[in-house]
């Protein structure tokens, strides 16, 4: 079975997003907990997924995280 490359995935796990965006997992979890309910966060039960393209746009607008 072929894996989808990370840059083509619609959603990323915390670990994948941490690698992709070069942000520590702890800092990313803290950022997401401070922005609960935002459109770039998708909950699958208790699992947090990040909508990659929407989060890329947020990162583009930020000066620091």
């Amino acid at each position: 079975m072929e894996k989808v490359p990370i840059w083509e995935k619609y959603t990323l796990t915390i670990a994948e997003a941490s690698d992709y965006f070069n942000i520590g997992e702890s800092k990313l979890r803290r950022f997401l907990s401070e922005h609960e309910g935002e459109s770039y966060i998708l909950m699958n039960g208790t699992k947090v997924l990040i909508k990659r393209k929407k989060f890329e746009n947020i990162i583009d607008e930020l000066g620091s995280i």
Side-chain angles (χ1 to χ4, degrees), residues 2-3 6-9 12 15 20 22 25-27 30 32 34 36 40 44-46 54-57 61-62 65:
E2 280 188 45
K3 281 188 150 188
I6 196 167
W7 60 88
E8 290 184 6
K9 287 187 170 188
L12 303 174
Y20 185 80
N22 198 28
E25 285 188 39
S26 296
K27 184 171 278 198
R30 189 173 344 112
L32 295 174
E34 293 170 357
E36 286 183 26
Y40 51 83
N44 182 9
T46 59
K54 285 190 176 196
F55 196 66
E56 283 177 354
N57 292 333
E61 295 174 7
L62 294 176
I65 186 168

Side-chain angles (χ1 to χ4, degrees), residues 6-23:
I6 196 167
W7 60 88
E8 290 184 6
K9 287 187 170 188
Y10 183 77
T11 59
L12 303 174
T13 64
I14 297 286
E16 290 171 334
S18 175
D19 289 341
Y20 185 80
F21 293 107
N22 198 28
I23 301 170

